Amino acid sequence: MSQFWINIIFVGLSFALYFGIAIWARAGSTKEFYVAGGGVHPVVNGMATAADWMSAASFISMAGMLAMSGYFASAYLMGWTGGFVLLALLLAPYLRKFGKFTVPDFIGDRFYSKTARLVAVVCLILACTTYVIGQMTGAGVAFSRFLEVDKDTGLMIAAVVVLFYAVLGGMKGITYTQVAQYVVLMIAYIIPAIFISLNLTGNPIPALGMFGTDVGSGMPILQKLDLLVTDLGFEQYTADVPNKLNMFLLTASLMIGTAGLPHVIIRFFTVPKVSDARTSAGWTLIFIALLYTTAPAVGSMARMNIINTVYPQGIDAPALQYESRPEWMKNWENTGLLKYEDKNNDGLIQYYNDKNEAYAAKAAEKGWQGNELEVNNDILVLANPEIANLPSWVIGLIAAGGLAAALSTAAGLLLAISSAVSHDLIKKTIKPDISDKGELMAARVSMTVAIVVATYLGMNPPGFAAQVVAVAFGIAASSLFPALMMGIFSKRINSTGATAGMIAGLVTTCIYVFLYMGWFFIPGTNTFENVESQWILGISPLSFGTVGALINFIVAFAVSAMGNPPPKEVQDLVESVRYPKGAGGAIDH
């Protein structure tokens, strides 16, 4: 059986499972649509949250970044994992005690202001829309290779799948679909990693294999990798980063962005009790750890496999002939995500760092005229089984896993967007007398519109999946997280201060990002080149969310200090939320 049909079987079976769950768990009320009825078991919710969280950026792009960036990319691991600790300790139980449906719900009621609610809706839509671009991009990458269609066609297939089970089932359908998707994506991630670790190190546990010995050379894997990359003019794989401020700010931005992401927060509204919110967050960390402890090994081994493919006889021997390239390179060339240009017309594949001036001069003596191989970060995890010559069923499995990762998070994000529009914008602001049935219809229509917009943006992404996702975290970090923290822990912040803080944090972060990544992410519209020498104080646009959050806090406290304190009933609300005992069910009115 051909690889194409094996992929079709694995992907088709997983999609059939998702559709079946959606039909079984379809939502019949707004409570089921928004919070799955409020009765999800903490362990089930932990698994669903892990799937919601382990997006295309985690499954597809993170290992690619670790492969190409080495130690610096560990900021993503530390930031995303640390964010869940913040969420479990500082936000989840208190927001569950509050007992509403959405993040703007809390902000609107806590800051007793329709304006604050509307600003929170705008921040939520911007963060979730930016995030969902990365998911749709990841889905397009997976479809384009494994189903042998172009990226845009793959995006449209993904959109139809999400449209079916998310619009029909709402949070109830998404919850149980995400449990299935977690199982699919984890099996798809772990099994190839075990095979690859066995091939390179003889150790079946990838996280241990990364610190083991390369069976070919007898050297420690990381030491061998350091030698390979430096011999090709790249930065040492395990080298420390010179710009520690930027790495710290990126880690912090990812942490507080995680804690402020609406699609993750609303998952904690689905459990029965306040204590379950913390328990659920703990289970989420356990489920996430299975992938996050494996990703560094997958990244480092993928980098080694690529170099060994291009230089099968070693760095000092002639490189691979283009005509003799393996099948996996031909397959990925067809997607446009792997490119070869024979710059010196010798028919060999020269892969090295031509931006390193000292090495470029040395390479020129060999007749090399520049790096000839471009490998998109987002393909490494998906290509790993092919690079390592693993069985065809493993390749089909990882196809299903990559799609599960992208679609599970996309569904959660789209639900957060539709809930904000139907519940906070329509129900709470424009048409308070709308019926439960009408609100449910508005939620489904708004989700459909969001899917169409997300699909279009996925066809024109501003960067690879994890870059786009980091921008989304910056937006959440600079706008929603400070408002939630001040709303829970400070009785002094009033509606004017909170609104001004959210606007200040959001606007400064968006402007800084747009200056370097293009206005509204439109290619070619950036004011400055996105390189470290052009960054203000060496702060990357991906790291600016931390600065935006500080601006938010400062503005909110300063404006609140100049105005009246919140009303007594609001201060009493803060006091009651802060002691999370015995919350009732989530309510919508």
Side-chain angles (χ1 to χ4, degrees):
M1 186 180 294
S2 71
Q3 184 63 58
F4 172 77
W5 286 107
I6 291 173
N7 296 341
I8 289 288
I9 290 171
F10 274 91
V11 173
L13 287 174
S14 63
F15 281 7
L17 177 62
Y18 308 152
F19 288 156
I21 291 171
I23 293 168
W24 167 74
R26 59 189 178 277
S29 67
T30 51
K31 187 171 184 179
E32 288 184 337
F33 192 89
Y34 293 142
V35 292
V40 179
H41 191 278
V43 177
V44 173
N45 192 55
M47 192 176 291
T49 307
D52 205 350
W53 176 245
M54 290 189 298
S55 61
S58 290
F59 186 95
I60 295 175
S61 203
M62 183 171 65
M65 286 188 303
L66 286 163
M68 295 305 179
S69 302
Y71 172 69
F72 173 75
S74 64
Y76 287 84
L77 284 172
M78 295 184 290
W80 286 341
T81 307
F84 260 95
V85 178
L86 287 182
L87 185 60
L89 295 177
L90 300 180
L91 293 181
Y94 306 109
L95 292 174
R96 177 62 190 86
K97 171 67 185 284
F98 184 66
K100 291 294 183 76
F101 280 164
T102 68
V103 169
D105 238 0
F106 172 79
I107 291 174
D109 285 7
R110 161 59 184 87
F111 297 113
Y112 52 97
S113 166
K114 284 188 177 180
T115 303
R117 182 189 296 274
L118 290 174
V119 171
V121 169
V122 171
C123 295
L124 181 150
I125 290 174
L126 280 174
C128 290
T129 302
T130 307
Y131 198 168
V132 85
I133 297 171
Q135 309 319 306
M136 302 310 279
T137 302
V141 169
F143 269 117
S144 64
R145 164 62 191 95
F146 294 114
L147 300 188
E148 298 180 15
V149 296
D150 63 77
K151 185 172 77 73
D152 290 350
T153 302
L155 278 172
M156 287 186 274
I157 297 172
V160 170
V161 174
V162 174
L163 180 69
F164 183 86
Y165 74 77
V167 171
L168 181 65
M171 178 61 87
K172 187 178 178 185
I174 286 171
T175 295
Y176 296 103
T177 304
Q178 285 176 336
V179 169
Q181 287 170 327
Y182 175 81
V183 174
V184 171
L185 73 88
M186 281 308 306
I187 291 174
Y189 203 87
I190 297 294
I191 288 179
I194 291 172
F195 272 106
I196 292 165
S197 182
L198 279 169
N199 284 346
L200 287 177
T201 71
N203 193 320
I205 303 173
L208 299 179
M210 184 177 70
F211 299 100
T213 302
D214 174 36
V215 293
S217 64
M219 295 174 62
I221 281 281
L222 292 178
Q223 184 181 342
K224 170 76 172 174
L225 185 54
D226 277 341
L227 284 174
L228 287 174
V229 295
T230 51
D231 281 349
L232 293 172
F234 294 101
E235 185 73 29
Q236 191 177 28
Y237 190 77
T238 58
D240 197 2
V241 293
N243 189 343
K244 290 184 173 59
L245 171 64
N246 186 61
M247 187 169 183
F248 169 79
L249 291 177
L250 175 59
T251 305
S253 179
L254 294 170
M255 283 181 67
I256 59 180
T258 296
L261 275 173
H263 77 293
V264 175
I265 292 173
I266 60 174
R267 288 235 52 99
F268 297 102
F269 298 163
T270 66
V271 293
K273 298 181 296 184
V274 172
S275 60
D276 292 337
R278 270 207 179 100
T279 304
S280 183
W283 278 106
T284 301
L285 275 170
I286 292 170
F287 289 129
I288 288 173
L290 293 175
L291 188 145
Y292 276 27
T293 54
T294 305
V298 172
S300 58
M301 293 175 189
R303 185 75 177 274
M304 181 174 288
N305 275 332
I306 284 178
I307 294 173
N308 288 338
T309 299
V310 177
Y311 296 99
Q313 305 301 320
I315 302 295
D316 297 324
L320 179 72
Q321 284 191 348
Y322 178 68
E323 293 302 323
S324 303
R325 69 195 186 283
E327 196 65 29
W328 73 266
M329 293 185 78
K330 297 175 185 177
N331 293 334
W332 284 101
E333 275 185 290
N334 293 333
T335 69
L337 297 171
L338 183 145
K339 298 176 183 176
Y340 168 72
E341 180 186 357
D342 193 358
K343 295 180 179 178
N344 62 350
N345 297 313
D346 65 352
L348 304 178
I349 303 175
Q350 274 90 43
Y351 172 63
Y352 67 101
N353 183 11
D354 55 7
K355 292 184 176 126
N356 181 331
E357 293 182 6
Y359 192 85
K362 178 181 173 184
E365 294 174 5
K366 300 180 182 179
W368 296 0
Q369 296 179 13
N371 177 54
E372 298 178 344
L373 184 69
E374 288 184 28
V375 182
N376 186 297
N377 285 2
D378 287 346
I379 78 169
L380 288 183
V381 168
L382 301 178
N384 241 348
E386 295 173 276
I387 297 173
N389 293 315
L390 300 185
S392 296
W393 65 269
V394 177
I395 298 169
L397 187 62
I398 207 161
L403 292 169
L407 298 180
S408 62
T409 302
L413 290 164
L414 292 164
L415 179 66
I417 294 170
S418 72
S419 300
V421 172
S422 61
H423 185 70
D424 295 292
L425 192 60
I426 297 175
K427 172 70 177 177
K428 294 289 188 177
T429 308
I430 298 173
K431 191 174 172 56
D433 60 344
I434 190 172
S435 66
D436 187 76
K437 186 177 180 180
E439 187 181 349
L440 185 58
M441 178 57 68
R444 285 178 165 144
V445 170
S446 59
M447 183 178 283
T448 302
V449 172
I451 289 172
V452 172
V453 173
T455 303
Y456 171 76
L457 292 172
M459 292 177 182
N460 303 278
F464 56 83
Q467 271 189 321
V468 179
V469 166
V471 173
F473 279 73
I475 293 172
S478 62
S479 58
L480 295 174
F481 176 78
L484 293 170
M485 286 292 292
M486 291 183 289
I488 293 169
F489 295 103
S490 174
K491 293 190 283 187
R492 184 63 185 83
I493 302 299
N494 59 28
S495 61
T496 309
T499 305
M502 283 190 289
I503 293 172
L506 177 67
V507 169
T508 52
T509 300
C510 285
I511 288 176
Y512 193 82
V513 168
F514 291 157
L515 284 172
Y516 293 96
M517 300 187 75
W519 291 90
F520 302 99
F521 301 128
I522 299 171
T525 61
N526 54 303
T527 307
F528 305 109
E529 189 180 357
N530 190 13
V531 293
E532 187 171 349
S533 60
Q534 297 284 309
W535 298 340
I536 298 173
L537 299 177
I539 300 172
S540 160
L542 305 184
S543 310
F544 197 79
T546 306
V547 179
L550 289 173
I551 292 171
N552 187 331
F553 279 115
I554 292 168
V555 169
F557 276 102
V559 172
S560 295
M562 293 185 286
N564 296 322
K568 176 71 165 54
E569 61 270 20
V570 173
Q571 295 190 45
D572 290 343
L573 170 68
V574 175
E575 193 71 24
S576 69
V577 166
R578 206 180 295 165
Y579 296 97
K581 291 194 220 173
I587 57 175
D588 63 341
H589 302 292

